[in-house]
Amino acid sequence: MAEFHGDFQVPQGRFAIVAGRFNALVSEALLSGCRDALARHGVAESAVDVAWAPGSFEIPLVARTLATTGRYVAVICLGCVIRGETPHFDMVAGQAAAGVMQAGLATGVPVIFGILTTDTVEQALNRAGLKGGNKGADAALAAIEMVNLLAAISSS
Ligand code: INI
């Protein structure tokens, strides 16, 4: 019987981050947490590229384009959709989530969902490092874990 785990050793290869400019204050905080977590796990700053999409709705296409280049071991998506600010919250949030999932399935590259969906700006900021946690950092860890998990499965 095999049991596979992804550990948090720094993997070989480059990481891409896609950030949404909409609600940029939150995205910047997520990006900062993400970069910090990657660096503290041993990923060189020079091994991380960042692309800015207009909003969360556009993130999946950018993520898929980055993943398709073959240059990255993982693509991390960061953004923020706030219910109070848009009547089409459900569409933007739902399509962003579905598109991020699809980018990973279509390319075989781990594409990580670090897009916050909240009711208020305050909730978003709290999850972007204003209080305890930073979902950008969580996304960085999920990326490292997924790269190592897929490598463990492939090499078995
Ligand atoms: N994009 C977001 O990332 N967050 C939001 O809260 C948001 N709101 O509120 O509308 C948002 N809209 C822009 C959308 O992602 C696209 O950029 C736009 O519709 C153009 O396609």
Side-chain angles (χ1 to χ4, degrees), residues 20 22-23 54-58 79-82 85-86 88 92:
F22 208 100
N23 297 318
S56 295
F57 194 79
E58 286 77 29
C80 175
V81 193
I82 299 174
E85 289 182 7
T86 175
H88 58 282
V92 174

Side-chain angles (χ1 to χ4, degrees), residues 77-117:
C77 300
L78 304 175
C80 175
V81 193
I82 299 174
R83 185 181 293 276
E85 289 182 7
T86 175
H88 58 282
F89 171 93
D90 291 320
M91 267 181 280
V92 174
Q95 292 305 318
V100 167
M101 167 69 84
Q102 217 247 327
L105 294 177
T107 60
V109 174
V111 180
I112 305 301
F113 187 70
I115 300 175
L116 297 177
T117 54

Side-chain angles (χ1 to χ4, degrees), residues 32-43:
S32 165
C34 185
R35 282 187 196 270
D36 180 63
L38 288 172
R40 283 192 288 123
H41 280 78
V43 178

